[in-house]
Amino acid sequence: MNFNNTLPVILSLIPLALGTMWKLSNGPSTIHKSMGLIVIGVLAGGLVYIQSALGAEPSLLVLASAVLLSSFCAILSLKNSQQSSMTYASIMIVLGLGLGTLLSQTIASRIFMCGLLGFIAMSLNREQATTYRTKIIFLHLTLAIIFSLSSIFIGESLQLYANLFLAVTFLPLAPFHLPFVGTIKNAKETLSSFWVVVWLIIGLGELNKIYSALTPEMLFILSLLALASAVYASLASLGQRLNSLFVASATVANVALIWGLLEIFPGFQKWGIPFGITLAFVMSGISLAFSFIQIRYGWKTLGILPGLASPMPRFGVAMVLLVSFALFLPLFSTFSGLMIMPTIVTHNIEIVMVSLLFLVIWLGGGWYFIKMLHQTAFGEARSDVSYSDLRLTEIVAVSVLLLGAAYSGMIH
């Protein structure tokens, strides 16, 4: 193995090894935070070197940069405490496994992916009781590990289906969304926000690998599945009481737009990846804002703390900006796709499918996002709560995610 192949592996092992050591030795959280930010800076320099000296594929480096930026926000905004030490460790482990999955060559990439899936399974095993739903999630993760390893050795046709299973898992479509929902629900503090980005970014990478091999029949089936997933997830978002489940369901609803537009817009790298990154940043920002309130007050249920914009104006502005951005997410993907779409004859059935999908996601999103905003930012604040507005590091973290979303959605 030459240096070009080993460098991404070495870079991925740095945060992985550091996070593992932190898991085994519960040190001061202030040191963990400082070391984590330093490592992220080193990894950023490594990505720049890979781009300039090794000429790696640009789309992979864009995806890896999105993961790195999200890890910076998750670590920077996390308040130092005894519990946050384990969160720092988990963020570094997920960062290492995620970068290894994205940047490494085939065999090493699949090993990192298996490690990531195994880490998800162990985390869920510690947090969730043994229920029928949990058993389905573990079965799903087991199949994902098997498909991840077998995709290296099996033939091209079977390899396509194995990789497609991984793609619909990490770029979640119902009914393949349960591991994503379970992971977001049980992640602690700002780790939930980081998971949103890592999960979707890996899904974008997997879809990018198989996009050119998808047949028209497969694309049509995926568009039908996307429409059903959008309807289901939009309705689920309206009924969610836990903030983490709201974020997970809203993310699944918007991800359906990527799968649904594959059939009509060519050049997935040019519109799909930028839109996917925009979606990941926006939903990660909403999750991050929720985590700030949860860390302060232990609040996990929508509607318990209304009227936050009055005693916490900085939080109110952040939520309004994030929700405003989220409401226009479907327009970003459609505009980007139309910009590169050649003048071709489109079948009526494709127009109908895309129109239905667009309306479900846009109208549904307008309904559940505005409802969520009224449950949190607006209304009368409680008099029995001592409110504390966002700190500087929290404002910076949300602002960075918003700027990243704006750049990916409007400029890139």
Side-chain angles (χ1 to χ4, degrees):
M1 185 179 290
N2 58 33
F3 180 71
N4 293 7
N5 296 335
T6 57
L7 181 58
V9 175
I10 294 171
L11 291 175
S12 304
L13 288 176
I14 294 173
L16 178 58
L18 195 62
T20 303
M21 286 191 295
W22 290 351
K23 280 284 187 182
L24 299 176
S25 59
N26 191 13
S29 59
T30 52
I31 295 178
H32 290 177
K33 185 171 192 171
S34 300
M35 292 183 65
L37 293 175
I38 291 171
V39 168
I40 289 172
V42 171
L43 294 176
L47 290 183
V48 172
Y49 177 80
I50 290 175
Q51 170 64 41
S52 59
L54 305 182
E57 185 180 344
S59 60
L60 288 180
L61 294 178
V62 169
L63 294 173
S65 299
V67 170
L68 209 57
L69 187 65
S70 176
S71 68
F72 168 79
C73 295
I75 290 178
L76 179 68
S77 60
L78 186 58
K79 187 176 181 180
N80 292 321
S81 65
Q82 187 68 24
Q83 182 180 351
S84 64
S85 295
M86 290 296 99
T87 305
Y88 287 129
S90 295
I91 290 173
M92 298 305 287
I93 291 173
V94 174
L95 174 60
L97 294 172
L99 288 179
T101 301
L102 287 169
L103 297 176
S104 303
Q105 296 298 313
T106 304
I107 296 178
S109 173
R110 289 318 188 197
I111 292 174
F112 277 112
M113 177 177 280
C114 289
L116 186 67
L117 292 165
F119 181 75
I120 294 167
M122 289 189 296
S123 300
L124 291 175
N125 187 48
R126 287 194 298 266
E127 300 295 336
Q128 291 193 0
T130 303
T131 62
Y132 180 72
R133 185 185 182 94
T134 307
K135 291 177 181 178
I136 294 177
I137 293 175
F138 286 136
L139 176 60
H140 190 134
L141 293 173
T142 302
L143 289 175
I145 292 174
I146 293 172
F147 287 148
S148 178
L149 290 175
S150 62
S151 64
I152 305 171
F153 308 104
I154 58 180
E156 289 187 6
S157 58
L158 293 177
Q159 187 180 63
L160 174 61
Y161 288 105
N163 291 338
L164 181 59
F165 180 84
L166 296 172
V168 296
T169 297
F170 282 102
L171 206 57
L173 280 178
F176 305 97
H177 66 299
L178 293 182
F180 172 73
V181 173
T183 301
I184 301 303
K185 177 185 176 183
N186 290 283
K188 304 296 185 182
E189 301 180 307
T190 61
L191 178 60
S192 178
S193 168
F194 184 47
W195 262 125
V196 171
V197 174
V198 172
W199 204 284
L200 297 192
I201 292 301
I202 291 177
L204 290 171
E206 290 299 312
L207 179 54
N208 188 41
K209 292 177 184 177
I210 63 174
Y211 169 69
S212 59
L214 295 175
T215 64
E217 292 77 15
M218 295 172 70
L219 289 173
F220 180 71
I221 293 173
L222 286 170
S223 66
L224 288 176
L225 186 60
L227 180 59
S229 180
V231 172
Y232 166 80
S234 296
L235 293 175
S237 297
L238 284 169
Q240 294 300 348
R241 297 290 295 164
L242 292 179
N243 56 63
S244 57
L245 290 179
F246 171 83
V247 170
S249 299
T251 304
V252 172
N254 282 276
V255 161
L257 198 57
I258 299 176
W259 290 101
L261 293 178
L262 288 177
E263 190 177 14
I264 192 169
F265 291 152
F268 171 72
Q269 284 190 1
K270 296 181 180 179
W271 68 267
I273 289 180
F275 171 68
I277 293 174
T278 302
L279 169 62
F281 280 158
V282 172
M283 299 312 300
S284 176
I286 294 175
S287 178
L288 199 62
F290 282 150
S291 72
F292 299 154
I293 304 303
Q294 185 175 332
I295 290 171
R296 282 168 168 77
Y297 312 112
W299 165 72
K300 297 181 179 180
T301 307
L302 293 171
I304 287 183
L305 288 177
L308 292 175
S310 178
M312 302 174 64
R314 291 191 290 270
F315 174 83
V317 170
M319 285 301 296
V320 168
L321 290 174
L322 287 165
V323 170
S324 299
F325 216 118
L327 288 172
F328 290 98
L329 278 171
L331 294 180
F332 295 134
S333 61
T334 307
F335 179 75
S336 300
L338 288 173
M339 288 290 289
I340 63 170
M341 185 177 180
T343 305
I344 57 175
V345 177
T346 304
H347 297 295
N348 290 333
I349 186 64
E350 294 176 352
I351 296 295
V352 171
M353 290 292 297
V354 170
S355 299
L356 283 174
L357 184 63
F358 184 87
L359 288 174
V360 167
I361 294 173
W362 199 13
L363 296 178
W367 195 353
Y368 58 72
F369 276 125
I370 291 175
K371 178 184 176 184
M372 179 273 291
L373 189 62
H374 278 280
Q375 289 175 320
T376 54
F378 304 128
E380 185 177 352
R382 290 171 50 171
S383 59
D384 59 336
V385 176
S386 178
Y387 292 98
S388 170
D389 209 351
L390 299 186
R391 296 176 285 111
L392 177 60
T393 53
E394 294 170 334
I395 296 171
V396 170
V398 174
S399 299
V400 167
L401 289 174
L402 277 170
L403 290 173
Y407 173 79
S408 181
M410 300 178 184
I411 302 174
H412 189 272

